[in-house]
Amino acid sequence: MLEIVDVDARDEGALREWYDVWRAGQPHRPPEIMPSWESARVPLATPREDYDVGLIGVREAGRLVGAGLLNLPMADNPTVAYSEVVTHADHRRRGVGTALVTELERRARAAGRERLLGEVFVPAGQETGTTGDMRFAEARGYAVANREGMKALRLAEAEHLWPALEAEVDEALGDYRVVTWRDVCPPEHLESFAAALSTVMGLIPQGELDLDDRAWTAEGIRTYEQHRLEVGLVTIETAAVEPDGTVVGLTGVRTHAADPRVARIGVTMVLPEHRGHRLGLATKLASHRALRAQVPGCELVVTSNAEVNTHMNVINERMGYQQLETLVEYHKRL
């Protein structure tokens, strides 16, 4: 008999049990890019104002065998919910995943959400095939909305590639400048940084995801910065700015102080009217240099980009990124 249970993220024992099942249900994923317990524990247990995150599990004979997550954005996209469904590798094909999906869909409907999004990770070399996880999603009415390449760069091994790229940046930069800060945006850039962030979803290829931009304000940025500090995140933001200091491009990267070995790129973007000056490459290179200098324990940087985003994929490859898996994003209208 399968039993759906709520998981109290404030109970460290319950959270660890959930996390262990979540990890054990994804043996096909590269272990080096999976969030460690040390980096996931506090963020999962700390509420946010802009997202309502709930954890659920499936028990069989008292043992947790499935891990689910429902994320309701509260500051944008009010008709959408994000989900994760993971079954312990030793308990598949027993209805655990179906029970999780059914419950997550029920809760999303009850919260007034009209569409549920989920992710499937496909190992390298299987990009053109259909995996069991993909068949599972499609059998339950989910359709492919977007595909992204999950890539990673080993800082020590790739650093030798960067001087030639930095020379390209120097030739193309013109009157633009690149500025980098850690954790807290300087006051002189705050308003334009918020304005730039408010355009991100409309500028990146997102296939059929159809997600709206979030309207960031200076106050919202400060609240988010405080949350990141509270949960132990180390954030390095790099911006391309006009001579007057207006932010026109950016790259954000973050890691966790408790386990800084892996950093993750949040977003890289350049406003359309400022493209053609290598600003995306400039901010990405500067962010990686800052990681090397300020977070010496960081070894790996992970990013993802839509397969159709040819320009950014070329930048990543030239910097030393290598693809490890494919992220297939699914959605279903409830």
Side-chain angles (χ1 to χ4, degrees), residues 214-293:
R214 175 174 175 174
W216 283 97
T217 64
E219 182 181 3
I221 295 291
R222 290 297 189 229
T223 299
Y224 186 33
E225 290 171 341
Q226 183 60 37
H227 170 82
R228 292 190 310 226
L229 289 169
E230 289 175 355
V231 301
L233 289 174
V234 175
T235 304
I236 292 176
E237 300 281 5
T238 303
V241 301
E242 292 187 281
D244 65 358
T246 301
V247 173
V248 298
L250 53 91
T251 292
V253 60
R254 62 185 59 95
T255 185
H256 200 281
D259 185 6
R261 292 172 298 172
V262 179
R264 301 175 192 278
I265 300 288
V267 65
T268 298
M269 57 80 71
V270 177
L271 296 178
E273 60 271 28
H274 297 277
R275 292 174 180 171
H277 299 275
R278 301 288 198 276
L279 299 184
L281 178 59
T283 58
K284 207 153 195 175
L285 284 166
S287 69
H288 288 55
R289 288 291 191 193
L291 266 179
R292 291 290 278 161

Side-chain angles (χ1 to χ4, degrees), residues 102-138:
T102 301
E103 179 64 14
L104 290 171
E105 290 181 357
R106 185 192 69 79
R107 295 187 183 206
R109 287 191 184 95
R113 305 299 162 124
E114 300 171 4
R115 197 158 53 103
L116 191 60
L117 277 60
E119 300 175 340
V120 169
F121 294 92
V122 179
Q126 298 183 30
E127 292 87 354
T128 59
T130 302
T131 67
D133 288 343
M134 295 174 70
R135 289 192 293 271
F136 175 85
E138 291 165 15

Side-chain angles (χ1 to χ4, degrees), residues 161-173 278 281 285:
L161 300 172
W162 304 344
L165 299 176
E166 288 166 335
E168 286 186 25
V169 167
D170 290 341
E171 290 184 6
L173 207 56
R278 301 288 198 276
L281 178 59
L285 284 166

Side-chain angles (χ1 to χ4, degrees), residues 167-228:
E168 286 186 25
V169 167
D170 290 341
E171 290 184 6
L173 207 56
D175 293 332
Y176 294 96
R177 294 182 295 116
V178 175
V179 297
T180 298
W181 63 86
R182 177 167 170 168
D183 297 328
V184 178
C185 180
E188 64 269 26
H189 299 304
L190 185 57
E191 293 289 344
S192 62
F193 180 58
L197 276 182
S198 298
T199 69
V200 167
M201 294 308 300
L203 296 179
I204 62 174
Q206 54 171 312
E208 302 300 318
L209 290 175
D210 194 27
L211 296 173
D212 297 328
D213 280 304
R214 175 174 175 174
W216 283 97
T217 64
E219 182 181 3
I221 295 291
R222 290 297 189 229
T223 299
Y224 186 33
E225 290 171 341
Q226 183 60 37
H227 170 82
R228 292 190 310 226

